[in-house]
Amino acid sequence: MADEKAQPAKFMFTLTSFGQDPDRVAIPLSLGNTALALGHDVVLWLTLEGVMLARPGAADTILPKSFTPVKELLAAFIEGGGRIGVCPPCAKLHGVTDDTKIDQAEWMGAAALLEIAQGRTTLSF
């Protein structure tokens, strides 16, 4: 019906990489920012080496060849209302703790991830 507003879609982008491939780090943030700008609900889940993005200042060092600097993409993602989940076991392995993660990131273990993933379109990078 033309009068009904479409429900926002729900997306989850999983980031498994960090420093080796800057474009791979930028892609889920670029997609997430586009989805947020269109009014959708977006979660970025950081796992494996991707948890390093949750460290303050870590985004400053990631300069993709094909995309906007990750620092800017991450700032826009946060400002746009995107949620950032961090895998606790991966964070422990990479030294990310409550004291060494950005305030906007939240711990998102297996149960929380499975709950939030329901009904979302998911993509992994």
Side-chain angles (χ1 to χ4, degrees), residues 14-123:
T14 300
L15 178 62
T16 62
S17 157
F18 182 65
Q20 307 87 326
D21 187 349
D23 281 354
R24 185 178 296 256
V25 178
I27 290 170
L29 287 166
S30 293
L31 291 170
N33 285 335
T34 300
L36 289 168
L38 293 171
H40 301 304
D41 179 336
V42 181
V43 173
L44 175 67
W45 189 57
L46 307 176
T47 189
L48 301 172
E49 291 179 355
V51 299
M52 297 299 292
L53 189 62
R55 295 184 81 116
D60 301 356
T61 65
I62 308 294
L63 300 172
K65 294 177 185 169
S66 304
F67 296 91
T68 301
V70 170
K71 176 181 180 177
E72 294 174 33
L73 293 171
L74 182 60
F77 185 80
I78 292 167
E79 185 177 309
R83 290 177 62 190
I84 301 170
V86 180
C87 170
C90 299
K92 183 177 180 181
L93 177 66
H94 292 284
V96 179
T97 67
D98 283 330
D99 296 330
T100 63
K101 74 172 181 53
I102 57 175
D103 292 337
Q104 298 85 355
E106 60 188 273
W107 299 117
M108 195 174 287
L113 174 68
L114 293 173
E115 181 70 26
I116 203 162
Q118 291 183 30
R120 288 184 185 272
T121 299
T122 62
L123 300 162

